[in-house]
Amino acid sequence: MANARCNGIRIEYETFGNRKDRPLLLVMGLGGQMIHWDEAFCEQLAGRGHFVVRFDNRDVGLSEKFDAAGVPDMMKLVAQSLAGEPVSAPYSLDDMADDAAGLLDHLDIESAHICGASMGGMIVQTMAIRHGDRVRSVTSIMSTTGNPEVPSGKPEAMAALMSPAGTTLEEVLDRAVAIGKVIGSPAYPREDADARARAKRAYERSFYPVGVARQMAAIAAGGNRKERLLALSVPALVIHGIVDPLVPVEGGHDTHAALRGSELVVIEGMGHDLPEQIWPQIIDPVTKLTTRAHT
């Protein structure tokens, strides 16, 4: 792993594969560290002809934290967002997209294929809007356009997401197991021991829940990207789980409609996670897209 100054801040990143292969930038979702793109997943992508880059978004993992920005009032932000009022946030999805573009600068990558999950999907959509000349293709996984007409997550999923982060290791691990049971893929349930091990690794690497609140504020302030996405002409792939309770599959359909000419892959039994059993259903179409779009 390494770090770089990107867009004026410190970003932690790691690469897999041969630099001469097709560059593929992976962008993780809300509160997720780059290690939530499993190492084996990255290696499989590298084995399919990609130079894979994963990184910690700002305010998470080992990338720069924004303590001076304070903690957003999430109840106020949600109320403003639901009322259609402007939302003020410490930073925006635009800033996070600019971070990703800055990482490409650091790596001397002129343009790349970009793939994001959940909030990461929102970031890569924004990157395609703001930095179209840097984007060879877009893959948006279990994400949405910010269109207010798209159904929101189920109450139990939203409640799990908003639950207290915990103060001790055991509380954090218990919460990870509980959230996984609510938003995870019902056809591919994760063993409790595995969920706890993954959460423990993330906790020991970096436990920073206030950063998640600021990232949530960025999402709330992001607005509706659909019209701007409709104006794009970029090879694209949209992947979504049919039983996703946090970002319903309608979000994937709306993203597919907004990214003209995109391919839509809807995965049976997939919720809001990336279980190993469905990796082939992600890696195969991503590889097909990047091969076709790599010009």
Side-chain angles (χ1 to χ4, degrees):
M1 296 183 187
N3 64 77
R5 297 294 294 180
C6 305
N7 192 29
I9 66 171
R10 185 183 70 258
I11 294 292
E12 186 80 7
Y13 71 95
E14 185 175 20
T15 66
F16 300 81
N18 190 327
R19 281 193 61 93
K20 295 181 180 180
D21 286 340
R22 301 185 300 280
L24 176 62
L25 182 70
L26 301 180
V27 188
M28 185 37 69
L30 177 69
Q33 301 182 46
M34 67 177 177
I35 58 174
H36 290 105
W37 293 110
D38 284 63
E39 186 171 326
F41 179 82
C42 296
E43 289 174 343
Q44 288 183 33
L45 281 167
R48 299 288 292 274
H50 298 103
F51 177 59
V52 179
V53 182
R54 65 177 185 177
F55 69 101
D56 289 326
N57 284 309
R58 58 169 63 195
D59 245 352
V60 73
L62 303 182
S63 287
E64 189 156 329
K65 309 300 192 300
F66 285 73
D67 297 299
V71 182
D73 182 340
M74 291 311 302
M75 296 304 293
K76 180 180 179 181
L77 289 175
V78 170
Q80 289 175 330
S81 181
L82 291 175
E85 299 173 358
V87 175
S88 177
Y91 50 78
S92 66
L93 293 176
D94 288 0
D95 294 321
M96 301 180 83
D98 292 351
D99 296 344
L103 180 56
L104 295 184
D105 290 338
H106 171 76
L107 293 169
D108 198 26
I109 296 174
E110 183 176 348
S111 61
H113 305 278
I114 57 176
C115 171
S118 195
M119 181 188 73
M122 303 174 195
I123 293 171
V124 298
Q125 291 170 25
T126 305
M127 191 176 173
I129 293 167
R130 291 176 62 80
H131 303 281
D133 60 330
R134 312 296 302 278
V135 176
R136 299 190 183 195
S137 72
V138 174
T139 297
S140 180
I141 304 174
M142 57 190 183
S143 194
T144 187
T145 62
N147 181 357
E149 297 179 4
V150 173
S152 57
K154 292 184 178 180
E156 59 270 28
M158 298 303 294
L161 187 69
M162 299 292 289
S163 63
T167 56
T168 68
L169 173 60
E170 281 306 308
E171 288 174 350
V172 170
L173 302 190
D174 289 345
R175 179 177 183 265
V177 171
I179 290 177
K181 291 183 184 302
V182 174
I183 72 172
S185 299
Y188 311 103
R190 193 181 298 277
E191 295 290 337
D192 288 1
D194 181 36
R196 294 177 74 86
R198 289 166 59 87
K200 185 173 186 289
R201 182 183 177 204
Y203 177 90
E204 291 175 343
R205 185 172 184 265
S206 175
F207 178 63
Y208 192 69
V210 294
V212 180
R214 288 190 288 266
Q215 289 184 352
M216 289 181 70
I219 293 173
N224 186 354
R225 293 174 296 282
K226 188 168 185 178
E227 288 302 317
R228 289 173 292 165
L229 291 172
L230 283 165
L232 300 180
S233 178
V234 58
L237 169 67
V238 178
I239 300 174
H240 217 106
I242 200 167
V243 288
D244 190 330
L246 186 62
V247 182
V249 69
E250 288 86 352
H253 285 287
D254 198 58
T255 305
H256 171 53
L259 290 168
R260 298 180 185 276
S262 61
E263 178 186 0
L264 175 64
V265 175
V266 176
I267 300 178
E268 297 286 340
M270 176 184 171
H272 201 78
D273 63 352
L274 299 169
E276 185 173 357
Q277 294 93 328
I278 67 167
W279 290 358
Q281 296 179 73
I282 297 173
I283 292 172
D284 287 349
V286 166
T287 300
K288 179 181 176 182
L289 172 70
T290 61
T291 301
R292 173 172 58 85
H294 195 76
T295 57

